[in-house]
Amino acid sequence: MDRTQKAALASALIGAVVTALKFAAYALTGSLALYSDALESIINVVAAGFAFAALRVAARPADAEHPFGHHKAEFFSAVIEGALIIVAALLILREAIHGILEPKPLDAPLIGLAVNALATAINLAWATALLGRGKAWSSPALVADARHVMADVVTSGGVLLGVTVVMMTGVAVLDPIIAGLVALNILWSGWGMVRESVSGLMDEAAPAEMVAKIRRLISDHGEGALEAHDVRTRHAGQATFIDFHLVVPGEMTVMESHAICDRLETAIETALPGAVVVIHVEPGEHAKARGLPVI
């Protein structure tokens, strides 16, 4: 089990603890707003489970049927997680509508708020740590999970504030209204997650800053070559596939051009963990450059 899988498993376990605390807060108060918060946390646990499964698949080495590896499994996890978030939002909206039609006073609000605040603090600490790890390890599944947990933190903060207002004013109908607002926020979050993941499945190019860094690395370590062109990139989970054409003098030997390619591959793969580099060598006399040279 690698580090990303361990992080996903930890996320599921922490999510289970947080969910239990939030349902305890709902049981103490009967608040629909706190119920909506707890329901979203259930989705966190399920989503973390999907992330763990996807990371195990993504870690499999390339084989005859998947010669480029299984990296895109992480994007499927993020799509499923986004879809689950949308389902949760619709369920909360249904409960909120019933609550608006038949508002009920809250029970033991102070104790319930304290329990929910503890769960929110745990989520905030974990979301911050998980987001840092997900970005450092270039894991779409962990980043998606961390963003979902962080969205849950924001939601919980709003719910805590709203239930406090309900407790102070005694206006019971505010509770289901807050739950409805929570549902709309969750719906937007889920849609954004699905949209980003679909972009990954469609072989979206690496971010502009990464492409600029690749071009600089080629320029810095391409001594002996004439130019490089047609630099292309695509993301697939934790892997970034990079290919380009390298133009060398026609009289250069295969051994010499191969040495330049080795130097470039080492430099790029060292600077960008997870990079998979393919270089097509062209003699200067027959090169068909398209776009601006980078050397």
Side-chain angles (χ1 to χ4, degrees):
M1 186 183 299
D2 66 16
R3 59 189 183 182
T4 55
Q5 293 174 41
K6 289 178 181 178
L9 185 58
S11 191
L13 295 175
I14 292 171
V17 172
V18 168
T19 299
L21 288 171
K22 288 186 175 182
F23 269 104
Y26 163 62
L28 287 167
T29 63
S31 166
L32 281 177
L34 292 182
Y35 168 75
S36 68
D37 199 18
L39 187 59
E40 185 184 6
S41 291
I42 288 182
I43 302 301
N44 280 347
V45 177
V46 176
F50 275 115
F52 175 70
L55 286 165
R56 287 187 67 84
V57 174
R60 294 176 185 172
D63 53 36
E65 294 182 351
H66 305 89
F68 291 98
H70 301 76
H71 308 287
K72 286 190 176 182
E74 291 196 46
F75 289 118
F76 285 105
S77 166
V79 169
I80 293 171
E81 184 170 348
L84 288 173
I85 292 172
I86 291 172
V87 171
L90 295 176
L91 291 174
I92 295 168
L93 275 175
R94 185 187 66 178
E95 294 298 325
I97 292 171
H98 289 316
I100 291 172
L101 295 175
E102 297 180 15
K104 298 178 181 179
L106 304 183
D107 300 319
L110 284 177
I111 300 175
L113 285 174
V115 173
N116 192 275
L118 174 61
T120 301
I122 294 172
N123 255 358
L124 176 60
W126 177 242
T128 303
L130 189 61
L131 186 60
R133 286 173 172 79
K135 289 183 176 179
W137 301 339
S138 300
S139 172
L142 290 185
V143 170
D145 193 23
R147 286 178 177 172
H148 185 193
V149 176
M150 189 62 78
D152 191 19
V153 171
V154 174
T155 298
S156 297
V159 166
L160 286 169
L161 179 61
V163 175
T164 300
V165 171
V166 173
M167 181 182 66
M168 294 176 65
T169 63
V171 181
V173 75
L174 288 176
D175 182 54
I177 290 175
I178 293 168
L181 293 175
V182 168
L184 293 176
N185 179 62
I186 295 172
L187 194 62
W188 179 254
S189 173
W191 165 246
M193 196 174 296
V194 171
R195 183 182 58 196
E196 288 183 14
S197 301
V198 169
S199 295
L201 290 171
M202 294 295 291
D203 288 335
E204 187 174 47
E209 59 271 19
M210 182 181 288
V211 175
K213 184 175 183 178
I214 293 168
R215 290 177 177 271
R216 287 195 301 271
L217 288 166
I218 297 172
S219 295
D220 293 343
H221 299 276
E223 183 180 355
L226 300 176
E227 66 176 28
H229 60 86
D230 288 357
V231 179
R232 300 189 303 172
T233 63
R234 65 181 177 90
H235 269 317
Q238 298 177 59
T240 302
F241 291 90
I242 304 162
D243 68 78
F244 58 91
H245 292 210
L246 186 72
V247 181
V248 300
E251 65 275 10
M252 181 176 283
T253 66
V254 173
M255 186 68 72
E256 290 171 329
S257 61
H258 180 70
I260 297 173
C261 290
D262 276 349
R263 188 168 68 243
L264 285 168
E265 289 173 6
T266 300
I268 295 172
E269 290 171 359
T270 300
L272 302 172
V276 180
V277 184
V278 176
I279 304 173
H280 173 74
V281 177
E282 297 179 351
E285 294 78 3
H286 299 283
K288 297 180 180 179
R290 293 181 293 277
L292 296 175
V294 294
I295 294 179

